[in-house]
Amino acid sequence: MGPFRTLYIDMNSFFASVEQQLDPAIRGRPVAITAMENEKGCCVAASYEAKAYGVRTGTSVPEARRLCPEITFRASRHRVYVRHNLRVAAILDRYAELERIRSVDEFQIALSGDVTDLDGARALVTEMKHAVATEVGECLRFSAGIGPNHLLAKIAGKLEKPNGFQHLGPDNMPDRIAHLALDDLPGISRAMAGRLHAAGIRDILSLCRLDPRHARVIWRSVEGERFVRSLQGEPIPLVTTQRGGFGNSKVLAPQYRAPAEAYLVSRWLIEKAASRLRRDGRVAASFNLHLSPYGRKTWARAIRCAPTQDTLEFMRMNRALWRQAWPYIRGRHLAAIGVHLGNVDMLEARTGDLLMPIGPGEQTAGERASAAADFINQRFGQGTIRFGVNQPHPGFFERG
């Protein structure tokens, strides 16, 4: 057995590449994916041809057009990208154990047997690249990294783009990544980099040589120790995080910024969040609303409640909080809104209520009605049944 346990695959300019695969007329040309179909939006992805002109994620549409007059813009179609993600995932899983789909364009694969050494892993990656190009499309390319754990494999996967293959292990660490800045590493924000600087850790080599117990103090969490041990090559597994809540937020398009329209969007967000809550078999014991009016600080309030998964209960709490917010937002347009269902627990863990009456883990009548609406919407299409008037506001993650 060789030293490598994880293969990390990072699709190259995935959204733009999918669009180029579907439309041969834009292959080899600069392409940018936008979140909104107008000149006021920004680019959420760019092809490598567009990146060569300086177009990046976050570049405004007018600026991208100025940098690259020949650029082609396409509105994002996340569902299309998800379908391609699943096709790629199915191929990868044929060749090795697909441990996790880390995001719409990133995959984590467990290595074992002959592919745990460098030559075996390289041959495996070559086969996978050929299969993806043949079965999904020649425009779909990826960079791959291998390492003794998921963190080093992920860092290795970012070292050579596009279409690259790199490894990080005992033979080249930490010198191979010594040129990186601290906040180039996944999981280190600018704020965390500031903490490290304050502790005298100013470069990658110092971080790799840090005592993991000292890292726990700097991070103020065991995650610091886990991170440094991973950098040092220990086989630290990913930890499954416990879900803290279900929420949706939305940067509002101009036509939905008036409070009356934004309120209807909030009702739509609640329907989406509550449906996900029920799908996970959970209940929430708090409801939070935040509103961001132009020219003023964000307004945020929460209501505690008995644990529930009833959409209409969350709608009533939402209405009560909008009434509280009205003096603050009256006469102003809203830039963004958000809802959050918090203090979650499993439905099966909820105690019974003799006054309602329901037994432990049983659904109320309202919750059963909500679940029935979920079933109908899943079968006949979202929005077939709505909980009163709302305003759908699909964006980046709903198109396609």
Short mmCIF file of all heavy atoms in Angstrom, two decimals, residues 202-234:
data_model
loop_
_atom_site.label_atom_id
_atom_site.label_comp_id
_atom_site.label_asym_id
_atom_site.label_seq_id
_atom_site.Cartn_x
_atom_site.Cartn_y
_atom_site.Cartn_z
N ARG A 202 3.40 33.17 10.17
CA ARG A 202 3.22 34.07 9.04
C ARG A 202 3.41 33.40 7.68
O ARG A 202 3.27 34.05 6.65
CB ARG A 202 4.18 35.26 9.16
CG ARG A 202 3.86 36.14 10.36
CD ARG A 202 4.80 37.33 10.46
NE ARG A 202 4.32 38.27 11.46
CZ ARG A 202 4.53 38.16 12.77
NH1 ARG A 202 5.23 37.13 13.22
NH2 ARG A 202 4.06 39.04 13.61
N ASP A 203 3.73 32.13 7.66
CA ASP A 203 3.91 31.45 6.38
C ASP A 203 3.53 29.97 6.52
O ASP A 203 3.30 29.46 7.63
CB ASP A 203 5.35 31.58 5.87
CG ASP A 203 6.38 31.11 6.88
OD1 ASP A 203 6.20 30.00 7.44
OD2 ASP A 203 7.38 31.82 7.11
N ILE A 204 3.44 29.31 5.38
CA ILE A 204 3.00 27.91 5.35
C ILE A 204 3.96 27.00 6.10
O ILE A 204 3.53 26.08 6.82
CB ILE A 204 2.86 27.44 3.89
CG1 ILE A 204 1.74 28.21 3.18
CG2 ILE A 204 2.59 25.95 3.83
CD1 ILE A 204 0.36 27.92 3.67
N LEU A 205 5.24 27.22 5.96
CA LEU A 205 6.21 26.35 6.62
C LEU A 205 6.03 26.40 8.14
O LEU A 205 6.08 25.37 8.83
CB LEU A 205 7.63 26.74 6.24
CG LEU A 205 8.00 26.55 4.76
CD1 LEU A 205 9.45 26.97 4.52
CD2 LEU A 205 7.80 25.11 4.34
N SER A 206 5.82 27.62 8.68
CA SER A 206 5.61 27.75 10.13
C SER A 206 4.32 27.05 10.56
O SER A 206 4.27 26.42 11.62
CB SER A 206 5.55 29.23 10.51
OG SER A 206 6.76 29.88 10.20
N LEU A 207 3.28 27.15 9.72
CA LEU A 207 2.01 26.51 10.06
C LEU A 207 2.16 24.99 10.07
O LEU A 207 1.65 24.31 10.96
CB LEU A 207 0.94 26.93 9.05
CG LEU A 207 -0.46 26.35 9.25
CD1 LEU A 207 -1.02 26.74 10.62
CD2 LEU A 207 -1.40 26.79 8.14
N CYS A 208 2.88 24.45 9.10
CA CYS A 208 3.05 23.00 9.02
C CYS A 208 3.87 22.45 10.19
O CYS A 208 3.73 21.29 10.56
CB CYS A 208 3.71 22.61 7.71
SG CYS A 208 2.66 22.86 6.25
N ARG A 209 4.73 23.29 10.76
CA ARG A 209 5.57 22.85 11.88
C ARG A 209 4.96 23.19 13.23
O ARG A 209 5.55 22.88 14.27
CB ARG A 209 6.94 23.51 11.76
CG ARG A 209 7.71 23.03 10.53
CD ARG A 209 8.90 23.91 10.23
NE ARG A 209 9.61 23.47 9.04
CZ ARG A 209 10.33 24.26 8.26
NH1 ARG A 209 10.44 25.55 8.56
NH2 ARG A 209 10.94 23.78 7.19
N LEU A 210 3.76 23.76 13.22
CA LEU A 210 3.11 24.18 14.47
C LEU A 210 2.71 22.97 15.30
O LEU A 210 2.25 21.95 14.77
CB LEU A 210 1.87 25.02 14.12
CG LEU A 210 1.09 25.65 15.27
CD1 LEU A 210 1.94 26.67 16.01
CD2 LEU A 210 -0.18 26.30 14.73
N ASP A 211 2.87 23.09 16.61
CA ASP A 211 2.38 22.05 17.52
C ASP A 211 0.84 22.03 17.42
O ASP A 211 0.19 23.07 17.62
CB ASP A 211 2.80 22.38 18.96
CG ASP A 211 2.44 21.27 19.94
OD1 ASP A 211 1.36 20.64 19.77
OD2 ASP A 211 3.20 21.03 20.88
N PRO A 212 0.22 20.89 17.09
CA PRO A 212 -1.23 20.85 16.94
C PRO A 212 -1.98 21.34 18.18
O PRO A 212 -3.07 21.91 18.06
CB PRO A 212 -1.51 19.36 16.68
CG PRO A 212 -0.25 18.85 16.06
CD PRO A 212 0.85 19.61 16.74
N ARG A 213 -1.41 21.16 19.36
CA ARG A 213 -2.07 21.64 20.58
C ARG A 213 -2.09 23.17 20.61
O ARG A 213 -3.04 23.76 21.11
CB ARG A 213 -1.36 21.07 21.81
CG ARG A 213 -1.50 19.56 21.94
CD ARG A 213 -0.57 19.00 22.99
NE ARG A 213 0.84 19.22 22.63
CZ ARG A 213 1.87 18.83 23.38
NH1 ARG A 213 1.63 18.20 24.53
NH2 ARG A 213 3.11 19.05 22.99
N HIS A 214 -1.04 23.79 20.08
CA HIS A 214 -1.02 25.25 19.98
C HIS A 214 -2.06 25.72 18.96
O HIS A 214 -2.71 26.76 19.15
CB HIS A 214 0.38 25.71 19.57
CG HIS A 214 0.57 27.19 19.65
ND1 HIS A 214 1.70 27.83 19.17
CD2 HIS A 214 -0.23 28.18 20.15
CE1 HIS A 214 1.59 29.13 19.37
NE2 HIS A 214 0.44 29.36 19.96
N ALA A 215 -2.24 24.95 17.88
CA ALA A 215 -3.24 25.30 16.87
C ALA A 215 -4.64 25.30 17.48
O ALA A 215 -5.47 26.16 17.16
CB ALA A 215 -3.18 24.32 15.71
N ARG A 216 -4.90 24.37 18.39
CA ARG A 216 -6.21 24.33 19.05
C ARG A 216 -6.45 25.64 19.80
O ARG A 216 -7.57 26.17 19.79
CB ARG A 216 -6.27 23.15 20.02
CG ARG A 216 -7.62 23.00 20.72
CD ARG A 216 -7.50 22.01 21.88
NE ARG A 216 -7.42 20.64 21.42
CZ ARG A 216 -8.36 19.73 21.67
NH1 ARG A 216 -9.44 20.06 22.34
NH2 ARG A 216 -8.20 18.50 21.25
N VAL A 217 -5.41 26.19 20.43
CA VAL A 217 -5.54 27.45 21.17
C VAL A 217 -5.79 28.61 20.21
O VAL A 217 -6.65 29.46 20.44
CB VAL A 217 -4.27 27.71 22.01
CG1 VAL A 217 -4.35 29.09 22.67
CG2 VAL A 217 -4.10 26.62 23.06
N ILE A 218 -5.05 28.65 19.10
CA ILE A 218 -5.21 29.75 18.13
C ILE A 218 -6.60 29.73 17.51
O ILE A 218 -7.26 30.76 17.37
CB ILE A 218 -4.12 29.65 17.05
CG1 ILE A 218 -2.73 29.83 17.67
CG2 ILE A 218 -4.35 30.69 15.95
CD1 ILE A 218 -1.59 29.55 16.71
N TRP A 219 -7.05 28.55 17.12
CA TRP A 219 -8.39 28.42 16.51
C TRP A 219 -9.51 28.59 17.54
O TRP A 219 -10.64 28.85 17.17
CB TRP A 219 -8.53 27.05 15.87
CG TRP A 219 -8.36 27.00 14.39
CD1 TRP A 219 -9.36 26.94 13.46
CD2 TRP A 219 -7.14 26.93 13.64
NE1 TRP A 219 -8.83 26.86 12.19
CE2 TRP A 219 -7.47 26.85 12.26
CE3 TRP A 219 -5.80 26.95 14.00
CZ2 TRP A 219 -6.51 26.78 11.26
CZ3 TRP A 219 -4.84 26.88 13.00
CH2 TRP A 219 -5.19 26.80 11.65
N ARG A 220 -9.14 28.37 18.83
CA ARG A 220 -10.15 28.32 19.91
C ARG A 220 -11.13 27.18 19.68
O ARG A 220 -12.31 27.25 20.01
CB ARG A 220 -10.91 29.65 20.02
CG ARG A 220 -10.00 30.85 20.25
CD ARG A 220 -10.73 32.15 20.07
NE ARG A 220 -9.81 33.27 20.00
CZ ARG A 220 -10.12 34.48 19.55
NH1 ARG A 220 -11.35 34.72 19.13
NH2 ARG A 220 -9.23 35.43 19.50
N SER A 221 -10.60 26.12 19.08
CA SER A 221 -11.44 24.97 18.75
C SER A 221 -10.54 23.78 18.44
O SER A 221 -9.39 23.94 18.01
CB SER A 221 -12.32 25.28 17.53
OG SER A 221 -12.86 24.12 16.97
N VAL A 222 -11.08 22.58 18.60
CA VAL A 222 -10.36 21.37 18.24
C VAL A 222 -10.11 21.32 16.75
O VAL A 222 -9.21 20.61 16.27
CB VAL A 222 -11.14 20.13 18.72
CG1 VAL A 222 -12.43 19.96 17.90
CG2 VAL A 222 -10.27 18.88 18.64
N GLU A 223 -10.87 22.10 15.96
CA GLU A 223 -10.68 22.11 14.52
C GLU A 223 -9.28 22.59 14.14
O GLU A 223 -8.74 22.20 13.10
CB GLU A 223 -11.74 22.96 13.83
CG GLU A 223 -13.12 22.34 13.84
CD GLU A 223 -13.13 20.92 13.28
OE1 GLU A 223 -12.56 20.72 12.19
OE2 GLU A 223 -13.69 20.02 13.93
N GLY A 224 -8.69 23.45 14.95
CA GLY A 224 -7.32 23.89 14.68
C GLY A 224 -6.34 22.74 14.76
O GLY A 224 -5.45 22.58 13.91
N GLU A 225 -6.50 21.92 15.79
CA GLU A 225 -5.62 20.74 15.94
C GLU A 225 -5.82 19.78 14.78
O GLU A 225 -4.86 19.25 14.22
CB GLU A 225 -5.90 20.05 17.27
CG GLU A 225 -5.02 18.84 17.51
CD GLU A 225 -5.20 18.23 18.90
OE1 GLU A 225 -5.75 18.93 19.78
OE2 GLU A 225 -4.78 17.07 19.08
N ARG A 226 -7.08 19.55 14.40
CA ARG A 226 -7.37 18.65 13.28
C ARG A 226 -6.74 19.18 11.99
O ARG A 226 -6.19 18.42 11.19
CB ARG A 226 -8.88 18.50 13.10
CG ARG A 226 -9.57 17.72 14.22
CD ARG A 226 -11.09 17.75 14.07
NE ARG A 226 -11.48 17.29 12.75
CZ ARG A 226 -11.61 16.01 12.40
NH1 ARG A 226 -11.39 15.06 13.32
NH2 ARG A 226 -11.98 15.66 11.20
N PHE A 227 -6.84 20.50 11.77
CA PHE A 227 -6.32 21.09 10.55
C PHE A 227 -4.81 20.90 10.45
O PHE A 227 -4.29 20.47 9.41
CB PHE A 227 -6.68 22.59 10.52
CG PHE A 227 -6.35 23.27 9.23
CD1 PHE A 227 -7.28 23.34 8.21
CD2 PHE A 227 -5.10 23.85 9.03
CE1 PHE A 227 -6.98 23.96 7.01
CE2 PHE A 227 -4.79 24.48 7.83
CZ PHE A 227 -5.73 24.54 6.82
N VAL A 228 -4.08 21.21 11.52
CA VAL A 228 -2.62 21.12 11.48
C VAL A 228 -2.18 19.66 11.37
O VAL A 228 -1.24 19.33 10.64
CB VAL A 228 -2.00 21.82 12.69
CG1 VAL A 228 -0.51 21.51 12.80
CG2 VAL A 228 -2.21 23.33 12.58
N ARG A 229 -2.86 18.77 12.08
CA ARG A 229 -2.50 17.35 11.96
C ARG A 229 -2.72 16.87 10.51
O ARG A 229 -1.95 16.05 9.99
CB ARG A 229 -3.31 16.51 12.94
CG ARG A 229 -2.91 16.70 14.39
CD ARG A 229 -3.58 15.70 15.31
NE ARG A 229 -3.25 15.94 16.71
CZ ARG A 229 -2.13 15.56 17.31
NH1 ARG A 229 -1.21 14.89 16.60
NH2 ARG A 229 -1.91 15.82 18.58
N SER A 230 -3.77 17.37 9.87
CA SER A 230 -4.00 17.01 8.46
C SER A 230 -2.88 17.55 7.57
O SER A 230 -2.37 16.84 6.69
CB SER A 230 -5.35 17.56 7.99
OG SER A 230 -6.42 16.95 8.67
N LEU A 231 -2.47 18.80 7.82
CA LEU A 231 -1.35 19.36 7.05
C LEU A 231 -0.08 18.53 7.24
O LEU A 231 0.74 18.41 6.32
CB LEU A 231 -1.08 20.80 7.48
CG LEU A 231 -1.83 21.93 6.79
CD1 LEU A 231 -1.33 23.28 7.29
CD2 LEU A 231 -1.71 21.85 5.28
N GLN A 232 0.08 17.98 8.40
CA GLN A 232 1.27 17.17 8.70
C GLN A 232 1.16 15.75 8.17
O GLN A 232 2.06 14.94 8.38
CB GLN A 232 1.52 17.18 10.21
CG GLN A 232 1.90 18.57 10.73
CD GLN A 232 1.94 18.65 12.25
OE1 GLN A 232 1.48 17.74 12.95
NE2 GLN A 232 2.46 19.75 12.78
N GLY A 233 0.04 15.46 7.49
CA GLY A 233 -0.09 14.17 6.81
C GLY A 233 -0.80 13.08 7.57
O GLY A 233 -0.90 11.96 7.07
N GLU A 234 -1.34 13.38 8.75
CA GLU A 234 -2.06 12.34 9.49
C GLU A 234 -3.40 12.04 8.81
O GLU A 234 -4.02 12.93 8.21
CB GLU A 234 -2.30 12.80 10.94
CG GLU A 234 -1.02 12.94 11.74
CD GLU A 234 -1.30 13.22 13.21
OE1 GLU A 234 -2.34 12.75 13.71
OE2 GLU A 234 -0.48 13.90 13.85
#
